[in-house]
Amino acid sequence: MKNRLWLALFAALVLLPRPSQAGTCPFRIAADLPVSYVGHHSLVVTVTINGIPLRMQVDTGSYSSFLSTEAYDKMGAGDAYDNLRGYYAQGVAGTMQMNSLVMRDLAFGSVTVRDKILFISDSAMISHDGKPLVDGLLGEDILQQFDIGLDLPNNHIILYDPPDCAATEPPWAGSYAAVPITRHPETLANTVDYGVGNATLAATIDTGSETSVIFQSALARAGVTPEAVSAQKIGMEGVGNNVEATTPEKFSSITIGGESFGDMWVVVAPGQTSLYTDALIGEDYLATHRVFIANSSNTVFFYTLAPAGN
């Protein structure tokens, strides 16, 4: 999901200073990926497909992974292009149709993912004037195989092989709040609790969203009323490059992990109940906070401090 918005996320847990857990339950790094940025700060890493380097947007808010038509044509995939029709993807700003898919080997770090379906679509990724700015998109169908270290303050995404033991702490030192992950039984979408005022909603960590957002339908359902509403309208671009108007609204209290923020302005978007989430935690929050997504233990560790170079 590509959005241009601001969010809020809740996890009412006490912050605890923790040492690295490397000595008790070792984490093995599968790939340490330097991050660059395109467009309005979308996250990009380099992978190889069939030995060809490609720049891929990292999107934890998209379940599927995609390849642009230009990148596909550049690889000369031949018979792997299957012209299967009738696939649809739905996001915060609408629905797009995907006409084809391709099987490919994909490598990054010490990892090779073989015989993986990559949908062919230019609309699924960040673009300018209808032209994709990246070669493809890495979604949760690939990323969920790993524990994911989002160290965006230091411009790195680190993928860890799931540990052999039952890890209850992340591999990084520092103060953090541990928040359970809820997985939707049908979509496998991951959400964590977040707070807006006295209400508890569900939010998705979405590296494909350049800013964060709360959906209006969630606020109405929870009975939450903002303290103030801006007269300014902001365009939100989503799947299919559709744009919808959104509004910044001010709330008296927003809680993210173990941190609380008062009188915060958050962009509120029209409700999309089919997304099975109430809000998105976007790159604006992730840029200043390290976040460790332990898919192996269904826990997200939100760090309050983001020391540069650590």
mmCIF file of all heavy atoms in Angstrom, residues 151-155 172-175 287-291 303-310:
data_model
loop_
_atom_site.group_PDB
_atom_site.id
_atom_site.type_symbol
_atom_site.label_atom_id
_atom_site.label_comp_id
_atom_site.label_asym_id
_atom_site.label_seq_id
_atom_site.Cartn_x
_atom_site.Cartn_y
_atom_site.Cartn_z
ATOM 1 N N ASP A 151 15.625 -0.990 10.726
ATOM 2 C CA ASP A 151 16.548 -0.018 11.321
ATOM 3 C C ASP A 151 16.658 1.173 10.378
ATOM 4 O O ASP A 151 17.730 1.513 9.885
ATOM 5 C CB ASP A 151 17.921 -0.663 11.550
ATOM 6 C CG ASP A 151 18.860 0.219 12.365
ATOM 7 O OD1 ASP A 151 18.391 1.256 12.896
ATOM 8 O OD2 ASP A 151 20.049 -0.104 12.458
ATOM 9 N N LEU A 152 15.528 1.816 10.132
ATOM 10 C CA LEU A 152 15.494 2.903 9.157
ATOM 11 C C LEU A 152 16.225 4.160 9.615
ATOM 12 O O LEU A 152 16.700 4.918 8.768
ATOM 13 C CB LEU A 152 14.044 3.213 8.784
ATOM 14 C CG LEU A 152 13.278 2.037 8.171
ATOM 15 C CD1 LEU A 152 11.937 2.497 7.638
ATOM 16 C CD2 LEU A 152 14.082 1.339 7.084
ATOM 17 N N PRO A 153 16.341 4.437 10.944
ATOM 18 C CA PRO A 153 17.175 5.581 11.324
ATOM 19 C C PRO A 153 18.616 5.449 10.830
ATOM 20 O O PRO A 153 19.311 6.443 10.643
ATOM 21 C CB PRO A 153 17.099 5.568 12.855
ATOM 22 C CG PRO A 153 15.780 4.936 13.146
ATOM 23 C CD PRO A 153 15.623 3.876 12.100
ATOM 24 N N ASN A 154 19.072 4.213 10.639
ATOM 25 C CA ASN A 154 20.412 3.967 10.119
ATOM 26 C C ASN A 154 20.392 3.412 8.695
ATOM 27 O O ASN A 154 21.393 2.878 8.209
ATOM 28 C CB ASN A 154 21.154 2.998 11.036
ATOM 29 C CG ASN A 154 21.397 3.585 12.407
ATOM 30 O OD1 ASN A 154 21.953 4.673 12.542
ATOM 31 N ND2 ASN A 154 20.953 2.888 13.443
ATOM 32 N N ASN A 155 19.213 3.517 8.034
ATOM 33 C CA ASN A 155 19.068 3.166 6.621
ATOM 34 C C ASN A 155 19.420 1.713 6.327
ATOM 35 O O ASN A 155 20.127 1.401 5.361
ATOM 36 C CB ASN A 155 19.914 4.106 5.743
ATOM 37 C CG ASN A 155 19.471 5.545 5.843
ATOM 38 O OD1 ASN A 155 18.275 5.825 5.911
ATOM 39 N ND2 ASN A 155 20.423 6.462 5.870
ATOM 40 N N TRP A 172 18.541 -6.786 19.375
ATOM 41 C CA TRP A 172 19.135 -5.471 19.572
ATOM 42 C C TRP A 172 19.032 -5.045 21.026
ATOM 43 O O TRP A 172 18.034 -5.301 21.704
ATOM 44 C CB TRP A 172 18.429 -4.416 18.721
ATOM 45 C CG TRP A 172 18.457 -4.672 17.255
ATOM 46 C CD1 TRP A 172 19.343 -5.448 16.567
ATOM 47 C CD2 TRP A 172 17.550 -4.149 16.282
ATOM 48 N NE1 TRP A 172 19.052 -5.440 15.228
ATOM 49 C CE2 TRP A 172 17.954 -4.650 15.026
ATOM 50 C CE3 TRP A 172 16.448 -3.310 16.350
ATOM 51 C CZ2 TRP A 172 17.303 -4.336 13.848
ATOM 52 C CZ3 TRP A 172 15.779 -2.993 15.182
ATOM 53 C CH2 TRP A 172 16.207 -3.488 13.939
ATOM 54 N N ALA A 173 20.055 -4.339 21.515
ATOM 55 C CA ALA A 173 19.989 -3.729 22.831
ATOM 56 C C ALA A 173 19.159 -2.447 22.756
ATOM 57 O O ALA A 173 18.939 -1.881 21.688
ATOM 58 C CB ALA A 173 21.396 -3.422 23.343
ATOM 59 N N GLY A 174 18.691 -1.993 23.912
ATOM 60 C CA GLY A 174 17.932 -0.754 23.966
ATOM 61 C C GLY A 174 16.608 -0.924 24.671
ATOM 62 O O GLY A 174 16.221 -2.028 25.070
ATOM 63 N N SER A 175 15.896 0.185 24.834
ATOM 64 C CA SER A 175 14.591 0.175 25.507
ATOM 65 C C SER A 175 13.487 -0.024 24.485
ATOM 66 O O SER A 175 13.451 0.642 23.459
ATOM 67 C CB SER A 175 14.368 1.493 26.250
ATOM 68 O OG SER A 175 15.339 1.651 27.260
ATOM 69 N N ALA A 287 10.921 6.112 10.367
ATOM 70 C CA ALA A 287 12.177 6.803 10.088
ATOM 71 C C ALA A 287 12.906 7.226 11.356
ATOM 72 O O ALA A 287 14.120 7.447 11.344
ATOM 73 C CB ALA A 287 11.921 8.030 9.213
ATOM 74 N N THR A 288 12.184 7.316 12.466
ATOM 75 C CA THR A 288 12.802 7.781 13.714
ATOM 76 C C THR A 288 12.779 6.728 14.813
ATOM 77 O O THR A 288 13.225 6.998 15.931
ATOM 78 C CB THR A 288 12.086 9.043 14.225
ATOM 79 O OG1 THR A 288 10.690 8.761 14.416
ATOM 80 C CG2 THR A 288 12.239 10.189 13.235
ATOM 81 N N HIS A 289 12.267 5.534 14.521
ATOM 82 C CA HIS A 289 12.172 4.473 15.527
ATOM 83 C C HIS A 289 12.597 3.148 14.920
ATOM 84 O O HIS A 289 12.120 2.769 13.846
ATOM 85 C CB HIS A 289 10.732 4.327 16.048
ATOM 86 C CG HIS A 289 10.253 5.485 16.838
ATOM 87 N ND1 HIS A 289 9.838 6.662 16.251
ATOM 88 C CD2 HIS A 289 10.113 5.669 18.177
ATOM 89 C CE1 HIS A 289 9.458 7.524 17.189
ATOM 90 N NE2 HIS A 289 9.622 6.933 18.364
ATOM 91 N N ARG A 290 13.476 2.445 15.605
ATOM 92 C CA ARG A 290 13.780 1.082 15.189
ATOM 93 C C ARG A 290 12.633 0.167 15.616
ATOM 94 O O ARG A 290 12.105 0.284 16.718
ATOM 95 C CB ARG A 290 15.095 0.600 15.807
ATOM 96 C CG ARG A 290 16.318 1.326 15.265
ATOM 97 C CD ARG A 290 17.592 0.715 15.798
ATOM 98 N NE ARG A 290 17.643 0.786 17.258
ATOM 99 C CZ ARG A 290 18.578 0.200 18.001
ATOM 100 N NH1 ARG A 290 19.522 -0.520 17.421
ATOM 101 N NH2 ARG A 290 18.561 0.321 19.308
ATOM 102 N N VAL A 291 12.288 -0.748 14.717
ATOM 103 C CA VAL A 291 11.181 -1.681 14.969
ATOM 104 C C VAL A 291 11.644 -3.074 14.553
ATOM 105 O O VAL A 291 12.152 -3.260 13.438
ATOM 106 C CB VAL A 291 9.918 -1.283 14.185
ATOM 107 C CG1 VAL A 291 8.832 -2.335 14.359
ATOM 108 C CG2 VAL A 291 9.415 0.092 14.639
ATOM 109 N N TYR A 303 11.101 0.211 19.595
ATOM 110 C CA TYR A 303 12.163 0.886 20.344
ATOM 111 C C TYR A 303 11.843 2.373 20.442
ATOM 112 O O TYR A 303 11.402 2.996 19.480
ATOM 113 C CB TYR A 303 13.512 0.697 19.655
ATOM 114 C CG TYR A 303 14.105 -0.683 19.851
ATOM 115 C CD1 TYR A 303 13.607 -1.772 19.155
ATOM 116 C CD2 TYR A 303 15.150 -0.889 20.745
ATOM 117 C CE1 TYR A 303 14.137 -3.039 19.335
ATOM 118 C CE2 TYR A 303 15.690 -2.164 20.934
ATOM 119 C CZ TYR A 303 15.186 -3.224 20.232
ATOM 120 O OH TYR A 303 15.714 -4.479 20.420
ATOM 121 N N THR A 304 12.107 2.937 21.616
ATOM 122 C CA THR A 304 11.838 4.367 21.804
ATOM 123 C C THR A 304 13.015 5.219 21.367
ATOM 124 O O THR A 304 12.838 6.373 21.008
ATOM 125 C CB THR A 304 11.526 4.679 23.257
ATOM 126 O OG1 THR A 304 12.573 4.189 24.085
ATOM 127 C CG2 THR A 304 10.222 4.028 23.661
ATOM 128 N N LEU A 305 14.203 4.676 21.412
ATOM 129 C CA LEU A 305 15.398 5.418 21.059
ATOM 130 C C LEU A 305 15.941 4.888 19.742
ATOM 131 O O LEU A 305 15.892 3.683 19.485
ATOM 132 C CB LEU A 305 16.461 5.321 22.146
ATOM 133 C CG LEU A 305 16.064 5.800 23.534
ATOM 134 C CD1 LEU A 305 17.198 5.585 24.527
ATOM 135 C CD2 LEU A 305 15.670 7.274 23.490
ATOM 136 N N ALA A 306 16.455 5.772 18.932
ATOM 137 C CA ALA A 306 17.032 5.368 17.658
ATOM 138 C C ALA A 306 18.419 5.967 17.527
ATOM 139 O O ALA A 306 18.652 6.904 16.774
ATOM 140 C CB ALA A 306 16.151 5.829 16.496
ATOM 141 N N PRO A 307 19.429 5.459 18.290
ATOM 142 C CA PRO A 307 20.764 6.040 18.257
ATOM 143 C C PRO A 307 21.424 5.821 16.917
ATOM 144 O O PRO A 307 21.479 4.700 16.400
ATOM 145 C CB PRO A 307 21.504 5.284 19.364
ATOM 146 C CG PRO A 307 20.774 3.983 19.485
ATOM 147 C CD PRO A 307 19.331 4.296 19.181
ATOM 148 N N ALA A 308 21.891 6.877 16.293
ATOM 149 C CA ALA A 308 22.530 6.767 14.988
ATOM 150 C C ALA A 308 23.817 5.975 15.101
ATOM 151 O O ALA A 308 24.597 6.120 16.037
ATOM 152 C CB ALA A 308 22.832 8.175 14.437
ATOM 153 N N GLY A 309 24.008 5.093 14.126
ATOM 154 C CA GLY A 309 25.242 4.323 14.065
ATOM 155 C C GLY A 309 25.304 3.174 15.030
ATOM 156 O O GLY A 309 26.330 2.492 15.129
ATOM 157 N N ASN A 310 24.234 2.874 15.753
ATOM 158 C CA ASN A 310 24.255 1.767 16.715
ATOM 159 C C ASN A 310 23.772 0.467 16.087
ATOM 160 O O ASN A 310 22.762 0.452 15.442
ATOM 161 C CB ASN A 310 23.346 2.111 17.894
ATOM 162 C CG ASN A 310 23.469 1.112 19.015
ATOM 163 O OD1 ASN A 310 24.444 0.366 19.093
ATOM 164 N ND2 ASN A 310 22.467 1.095 19.893
#
